[in-house]
Amino acid sequence: MGKVHHDNRESKEKKNEFSLVRVKGTWKCKLEKQICKDTADCVSAAKIYESSTEKGTTWTVVSPIIFTYKVTETWGLLDPSNDTLLLGHITDPQELEDIKKSNKPIKRFVVIDQEVCKIYGAKLTEYLEANNVLYKILALPTTEENKSMEMALKILDDVNNFSLDRRTEPIIAIGGGVCLDIVGLAASLYRRRTPYIRVPTTLLSYIDASVGAKTGVNFANCKNKLGAYIPPAAAFLDLSFIQTVPRRHISNGLAEMLKMALMKHIGLFELLEKHGTMLLDMKFQADNSVYGRSSLKAASQATRIAIMTMLEELAPNLWEDDLNRLVDFGHLISPALEMKVLPSLLHGEAVNIDMCYMLYVSQESGLLTEEEKQRIISCMVGLELPVWHEACTMELIERSLEDRLKHSGGLVRMPLPVGLGQAEIFNNTSYEILRRAYKKWCEELSVSSDGNNCDT
């Protein structure tokens, strides 16, 4: 039988790197040496890499996506003389000037949480009419229980009937984090991406949902399982909305603020430790009583630091390409806990219970001293946040961490404090440490020391 001869020589590969050059309104592939600066209108940041062999050709497209969005703190957002809500998202001075000179009326579609609408609906209508805006206001019950694709489609149906310009007429979302998330997803779906504006009316959404790129709805009994990373054109923050928020919801927002303090900023932690009760009492407003102007100073400092530290973590990782994220602290177990007991726990409350358990994990791992742990727990209690919950069983914790492994590239990527205002990501926390931490957490903080939930 004759031998089969194999040709071990690799087939010759031909490679080209093309830039994209716009010449007289059309784009063309050009090698670097072919680009004539005098005739090119524009050279794109995108590249096309062509690789050819005798087997075929492969084109690899590298197209950088750059999002620019504003996060603006302002006062009197619904004051008719303040045009921030209508024009504050525009970054091009010429475009802004042209709009102001134009006789064409501004057109806006507004989605507002129905409870917020009861308080601010009349003022919003007055604002829009005073500025001669063609508008549609859609008030919806944007609660965690109905944070669904059905509600997003309801919004889209009304948007479609209103006929927005998908490039120049942003949808405005006014409400808490649920409202901002749903509207953001709806906007990202309509005509593949319609700009939208976030106006948070709760403390939680003020320093969390409003400043990032995440949108989403709940699906298959999982929190935010459907969504997209599409940042708003702008987020407009006005602390005066917080004055009508119930005290429990102020505390709820302080949990996310505390998260950033524990992960990144001891100064913020000390501010919350010292002024937390005042911030709860004053609802982040200026006051003429015993606290005086110091309440507003503490409020503005706390929100500024929380937003800045959040943006530090989000801006370079907007699409979560890097799964090692300090902002996930308090979010490894809380999603399952929150959905399990819905609606009895608010988001920030569930996050704080998660964070409190993780303090014990950190202390059992030798990363946090007993004194630091107790100091943080005292701060949590001072902020009127829950530190334990009977539904947060060891079984739920294990299942949550197993889920984490599936969706985080096979690593648990557990953010843990390693001191006050300092944190690191860990992947090797043993099962034994998790169980010891759980047992100690239950023994020290459970409302019932003989409850079955403390069994290990």
Side-chain angles (χ1 to χ4, degrees), residues 89-124:
H89 65 287
I90 298 171
T91 56
D92 182 355
Q94 187 59 53
E95 181 185 355
L96 185 61
E97 187 179 339
D98 291 346
I99 290 174
K100 288 183 174 181
K101 287 181 179 178
S102 173
N103 292 322
K104 181 183 176 182
I106 292 173
K107 192 174 184 181
R108 292 292 183 269
F109 187 96
V110 183
V111 182
I112 186 170
D113 177 83
Q114 67 180 17
E115 296 305 310
V116 176
C117 192
K118 291 175 185 177
I119 302 169
Y120 297 104
K123 195 170 184 179
L124 174 62

Side-chain angles (χ1 to χ4, degrees), residues 228-258:
Y229 296 105
I230 302 290
F236 300 133
L237 318 181
D238 183 348
L239 273 176
S240 66
F241 284 116
I242 311 302
Q243 65 189 309
T244 54
V245 172
R247 186 181 181 93
R248 182 184 174 192
H249 286 260
I250 303 290
S251 181
N252 184 52
L254 284 167
E256 287 283 358
M257 199 173 278
L258 179 61

Side-chain angles (χ1 to χ4, degrees), residues 356 359-360 373-382 387 445:
C356 192
L359 294 181
Y360 281 80
K373 184 191 78 176
Q374 293 300 338
R375 187 175 167 189
I376 294 168
I377 293 170
S378 294
C379 182
M380 290 173 167
V381 172
V387 293
L445 297 179

Side-chain angles (χ1 to χ4, degrees), residues 186-354:
S188 73
L189 293 172
Y190 189 68
R191 304 300 297 271
R192 297 183 180 85
R193 184 169 63 86
T194 296
Y196 68 102
I197 287 168
R198 286 173 168 163
V199 179
T201 58
T202 64
L203 180 61
L204 183 75
S205 58
Y206 192 101
I207 53 98
D208 185 20
S210 65
V211 302
K214 285 183 177 180
T215 69
V217 294
N218 301 334
F219 177 72
N221 203 37
C222 291
K223 190 172 173 65
N224 295 327
K225 198 164 190 178
L226 300 180
Y229 296 105
I230 302 290
F236 300 133
L237 318 181
D238 183 348
L239 273 176
S240 66
F241 284 116
I242 311 302
Q243 65 189 309
T244 54
V245 172
R247 186 181 181 93
R248 182 184 174 192
H249 286 260
I250 303 290
S251 181
N252 184 52
L254 284 167
E256 287 283 358
M257 199 173 278
L258 179 61
K259 174 190 78 175
M260 298 314 298
L262 296 177
M263 292 292 96
K264 289 177 63 76
H265 205 289
I266 189 172
L268 178 57
F269 174 75
E270 290 171 344
L271 192 154
L272 295 176
E273 189 178 41
K274 181 178 179 181
H275 297 298
T277 300
M278 178 184 71
L279 292 172
L280 276 166
D281 290 343
M282 297 301 102
K283 296 187 175 183
F284 282 74
Q285 308 300 306
D287 186 74
N288 295 321
S289 69
V290 64
Y291 295 120
R293 296 289 295 177
S294 63
S295 62
L296 183 60
K297 183 179 178 183
S300 62
Q301 280 183 331
T303 55
R304 181 184 59 79
I305 296 170
I307 289 169
M308 193 61 197
T309 52
M310 188 77 79
L311 289 174
E312 279 179 344
E313 292 297 307
L314 298 180
N317 193 28
L318 210 55
W319 288 270
E320 296 186 6
D321 297 313
D322 183 355
L323 297 175
N324 289 324
R325 305 170 69 247
L326 289 182
V327 292
D328 282 348
F329 183 55
H331 291 72
L332 274 66
I333 299 159
S334 63
L337 174 62
E338 188 177 348
M339 295 302 288
K340 181 178 180 179
V341 300
L342 199 68
S344 66
L345 279 177
L346 300 176
H347 174 71
E349 293 172 338
V351 166
N352 199 75
I353 291 164
D354 184 331

Side-chain angles (χ1 to χ4, degrees), residues 156-167:
L156 289 170
D157 192 47
D158 282 49
V159 166
N160 191 52
N161 292 334
F162 190 62
S163 300
L164 280 177
D165 184 307
R166 64 170 175 159
R167 288 292 174 263

